[in-house]
Amino acid sequence: MPVEFLGIAATNNGSETTPRSGGAFDKDYTIRLARAHEEHGWDRVLFAYGSGAPEPASAAAYLASKLDKLQILLAHRPNVSYPTFAAKTFATLDQISDGRLTVHFITGGTDHEQQREGDYLTKDQRYSRTREYIQIVKKAWTNRSAFDHDGEHYRFADFVSDVFPVQQPRPNVSFGGSSPAAYEAGGAEADIFCLWGEPLAETAQQIESVKQAAKNAGRTDVPRIQVAFRPIIAPTEELAWEKAYRTLDRIEARKANGPLSRRHSLTNPENTGSQRLLEVAERGERFDRALWTPTAKATGGAGNSNALVGTPEQVAQALLDYYDLDVDILSARGYDLLDDAIDFGRYVIPLVREEVAKRDRAKAA
């Protein structure tokens, strides 16, 4: 099966190791980073969401108007807009991008971060709302006649959109999480289910949970699986590990000067995904071929934070191990956003694509 690569569409050059050098929305850097992805073999980039961050749909529209090929994964929290409005926003962005949009729905990992924008629902209530929200958006994308809705979280009458996506019947829906509630909602509604990088055994267990949830929801298909990592590569294994420990030192130095993020607790995360990453880190630093956990431990399991360390060949082989688990979307983001995107695109992506093509030819034969 084909393999795809997802990078990051940051609007500034800040990371866990480097304070940003300018404003939160640096237009030149946004395009420069995106162009580096487009020119070095990446398929799409993620516009993430944060309560105080630049509004991602607008930033994505800016990028789509400047680049012709790079696809967009747009993160969206259901608490920030009504689903009918969101459906029109997404359809308009799909028109601007000529059908390059996928939407990633975020339920919300911490009460504090959600409350910053007025969302006081409990975690279970948020999952219920997200599922209803996705259903409404899908219907608004595909219904050419007016419809009513009277649900647990939303109620409206006689809605019909006058703007529809380029992609037919609709853009793909992406979803993530590591709790039973996440598996249930994503298994039922998602085209793509997103996981953070864990050891192979744990990843396989999560994939089975997603597949079972899809089956329980009455689906005859299953979501595609995406897994995310922080690659740390160098020409030799020794240099890669030296770079890994330098990276960890820089994370610790930034922590000493203040919080890395206002969105996430370093010691007591609420969300199951971060708890899982910290539990893995407590069991050891290295797993499988190249998985390294200290970066996750240092950041409190914040988001995509487990690293893959090694030469390009070693990291490529590690990614192929996940591909063999039926992971066909590989998400990667370095700590030097621009240079790491170029290096990963030059030295890792071609190796993975070549090996996947060999395997596909062997299966076909």
Side-chain angles (χ1 to χ4, degrees):
M1 58 184 176
V3 64
E4 297 181 6
F5 288 91
L6 170 70
I8 191 70
T11 58
N12 60 73
N13 64 346
S15 75
E16 297 92 332
T17 62
T18 308
R20 74 184 190 219
S21 60
F25 185 26
D26 181 333
K27 293 193 295 183
D28 291 340
Y29 185 83
T30 298
I31 295 302
R32 186 180 176 196
L33 179 62
R35 186 167 286 118
H37 282 84
E38 185 173 77
E39 292 175 352
H40 291 90
W42 299 78
D43 296 285
R44 63 171 56 85
V45 288
L46 165 67
F47 279 92
Y49 191 93
S51 59
E55 197 282 307
S58 301
Y62 174 69
L63 182 152
S65 70
K66 301 291 185 180
L67 300 182
D68 297 327
K69 296 185 296 181
L70 194 65
Q71 298 176 54
I72 295 164
L73 177 60
L74 176 69
H76 181 77
R77 287 184 186 165
N79 59 294
V80 299
S81 68
Y82 209 73
T84 50
F85 176 83
K88 294 184 295 180
T89 301
F90 303 147
T92 302
L93 181 52
D94 202 51
Q95 291 282 345
I96 292 170
S97 67
D98 295 320
R100 288 180 279 152
L101 177 68
T102 298
V103 182
H104 180 66
F105 289 92
I106 301 174
T107 298
T110 70
D111 292 345
H112 187 199
E113 169 69 2
Q114 295 301 119
Q115 290 166 8
R116 287 188 169 119
E117 293 189 286
D119 184 11
Y120 285 84
L121 296 187
T122 66
K123 182 178 179 180
D124 287 344
Q125 289 172 329
R126 293 200 299 266
Y127 273 111
S128 171
R129 176 183 60 192
T130 300
R131 190 166 177 177
E132 184 178 342
Y133 195 100
I134 293 172
Q135 291 168 348
I136 293 168
V137 168
K138 287 179 178 177
K139 195 167 185 178
W141 278 342
T142 56
N143 268 41
R144 262 57 179 179
S145 55
F147 65 97
D148 304 336
H149 182 84
D150 189 357
E152 179 181 357
H153 301 278
Y154 301 101
R155 181 183 180 189
F156 55 86
D158 200 38
F159 175 79
V160 63
S161 179
D162 196 31
V163 57
F164 294 94
V166 171
Q167 298 174 79
Q168 293 297 313
R170 58 173 178 79
N172 281 330
V173 165
S174 172
F175 190 89
S178 297
S179 67
Y183 301 144
E184 181 180 356
E189 300 296 340
D191 303 296
I192 300 166
F193 197 98
C194 306
L195 302 170
W196 292 332
E198 295 186 12
L200 291 165
E202 285 80 357
T203 301
Q205 292 168 359
Q206 290 206 79
I207 292 172
E208 286 307 310
S209 295
V210 173
K211 289 180 177 179
Q212 185 60 51
K215 182 178 179 181
N216 293 344
R219 291 178 60 168
T220 57
D221 64 337
V222 296
R224 298 172 64 195
I225 302 296
Q226 172 184 304
V227 179
F229 303 97
R230 306 300 292 269
I232 300 175
I233 62 171
T236 69
E237 186 174 3
E238 180 181 6
L239 289 173
W241 284 108
E242 289 177 3
K243 182 178 178 181
Y245 285 105
R246 284 199 309 272
T247 299
L248 186 60
D249 288 344
R250 292 172 66 191
I251 293 172
E252 296 293 352
R254 279 216 66 196
K255 285 168 58 179
N257 292 324
L260 293 174
S261 172
R262 297 181 69 243
R263 287 186 272 170
H264 185 84
S265 168
L266 294 179
T267 57
N268 189 31
E270 295 176 31
N271 59 307
T272 303
S274 294
Q275 293 168 7
R276 287 177 63 101
L277 295 187
L278 292 182
E279 188 276 328
V280 171
E282 286 300 315
R283 286 169 25 214
E285 291 193 356
R286 299 189 189 187
F287 293 85
D288 306 319
R289 288 182 195 267
L291 191 72
W292 193 55
T293 65
T295 47
K297 187 174 183 178
T299 56
N304 171 19
S305 52
N306 268 338
L308 292 177
V309 181
T311 65
E313 292 78 11
Q314 289 170 326
V315 170
Q317 286 301 316
L319 291 170
L320 288 162
D321 289 338
Y322 288 89
Y323 176 82
D324 290 337
L325 296 179
D326 291 334
V327 175
D328 67 340
I329 303 175
L330 300 168
S331 174
R333 171 166 56 102
Y335 289 94
D336 182 327
L337 301 179
L338 181 61
D339 288 346
D340 287 348
I342 293 171
D343 287 347
F344 189 87
R346 281 177 175 167
Y347 302 119
V348 178
I349 288 178
L351 295 176
V352 176
R353 291 199 192 279
E354 181 181 2
E355 183 58 33
V356 166
K358 287 181 183 177
R359 297 180 186 193
D360 287 347
R361 289 194 295 269
K363 288 179 182 178

